[in-house]
């Protein structure tokens, strides 16, 4: 996502908030301080569907008008220059407190994918596909059977902008 999209790109629906978090307990990118000495923090990347922030290091923060880095510098050893690396990234729960049954109950025609499967995303993060270990048909708000050999494919912005709820 290029810098002209900051605060201008509608990345998803109002239900979509995505955070970067270097402080998340047990996260793979969790640290106290990054490799430039910046205290770890949590920051919004997408807030209510609007693209609002980047994962930054000290050198990059001023490029986009931020006063400080988001603490995303990482070096793989003491002998290497720190580079900008991805924090723990998480989709946040929706504002409405929905159970999975509530979410399914609001779907007329859809699928539910459970478990890890194959996945692929292009270099520019525009197109993706994934599968799962169990894929269920949802019809009229209820689980209505299973599918075989199924994969889900979509365009990233189309997918997130079509999000009706998060539970």
């Amino acid at each position: 996502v290029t810098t002209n999209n900051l605060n201008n790109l509608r990345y998803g629906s109002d239900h979509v908030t995505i955070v970067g978090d270097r402080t998340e307990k047990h996260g793979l990118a969790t640290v106290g301080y990054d490799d430039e000495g910046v205290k770890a923090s949590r920051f919004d990347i997408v807030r209510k569907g609007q693209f609002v922030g980047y994962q930054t290091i000290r050198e990059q923060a001023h490029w986009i008008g931020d006063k400080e880095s988001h603490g995303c510098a990482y070096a793989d050893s003491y002998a290497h220059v720190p580079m900008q690396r991805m924090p723990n990234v998480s989709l946040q729960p929706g504002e409405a407190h929905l159970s999975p049954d509530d979410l399914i109950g609001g779907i007329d025609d859809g699928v539910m994918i459970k478990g890890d499967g194959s996945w692929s995303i292009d270099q520019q993060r525009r197109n993706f596909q994934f599968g799962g270990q169990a894929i269920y048909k949802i019809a009229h708000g209820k689980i209505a059977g299973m599918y075989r050999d199924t994969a889900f494919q979509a365009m990233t912005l189309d997918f997130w902008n079509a999000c009706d709820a998060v539970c």
Side-chain angles (χ1 to χ4, degrees):
V1 181
T2 56
T3 57
N4 61 313
N5 288 300
L6 185 62
N7 298 312
N8 292 318
L9 176 64
R10 191 76 189 156
Y11 189 87
S13 74
D14 286 342
H15 302 286
V16 176
T17 294
I18 300 171
V19 300
D21 190 350
R22 300 289 317 263
T23 65
E24 183 178 330
K25 189 174 183 178
H26 305 299
L28 294 176
T30 299
V31 295
Y33 293 84
D34 77 352
D35 288 345
E36 292 182 322
V38 175
K39 186 168 177 51
S41 66
R42 175 185 165 125
F43 55 94
D44 289 342
I45 298 171
V46 174
R47 184 183 314 118
K48 294 189 176 197
Q50 190 74 26
F51 173 66
V52 296
Y54 291 96
Q55 55 198 31
T56 57
I57 62 175
R58 286 181 176 187
E59 178 183 7
Q60 299 167 332
H62 74 278
W63 296 349
I64 57 169
D66 282 352
K67 293 180 182 170
E68 57 188 28
S69 162
H70 284 134
C72 294
Y74 174 79
D76 61 0
S77 82
Y78 72 91
H80 292 110
V81 174
M83 295 175 47
Q84 179 255 325
R85 298 292 296 172
M86 192 168 174
N88 303 304
V89 175
S90 302
L91 174 65
Q92 297 303 287
E95 290 180 8
H97 296 285
L98 302 174
S99 70
D101 288 338
D102 294 332
L103 186 67
I104 291 167
I107 299 171
D108 288 328
D109 181 24
V111 296
M112 177 174 65
I113 301 174
K114 284 188 167 185
D116 294 337
S118 64
W119 55 271
S120 176
I121 190 164
D122 72 20
Q123 292 289 350
Q124 293 163 337
R125 307 303 191 236
R126 290 186 182 142
N127 306 292
F128 66 90
Q129 66 181 24
F130 59 87
Q133 292 174 337
I135 300 163
Y136 299 88
K137 177 179 183 173
I138 301 173
H140 309 294
K142 298 195 182 303
I143 300 294
M146 292 183 76
Y147 288 114
R148 285 183 69 176
D149 303 323
T150 304
F152 182 84
Q153 181 178 6
M155 301 281 290
T156 301
L157 294 180
D158 293 343
F159 176 83
W160 289 113
N161 276 283
C163 182
D164 291 328
V166 178
C167 72

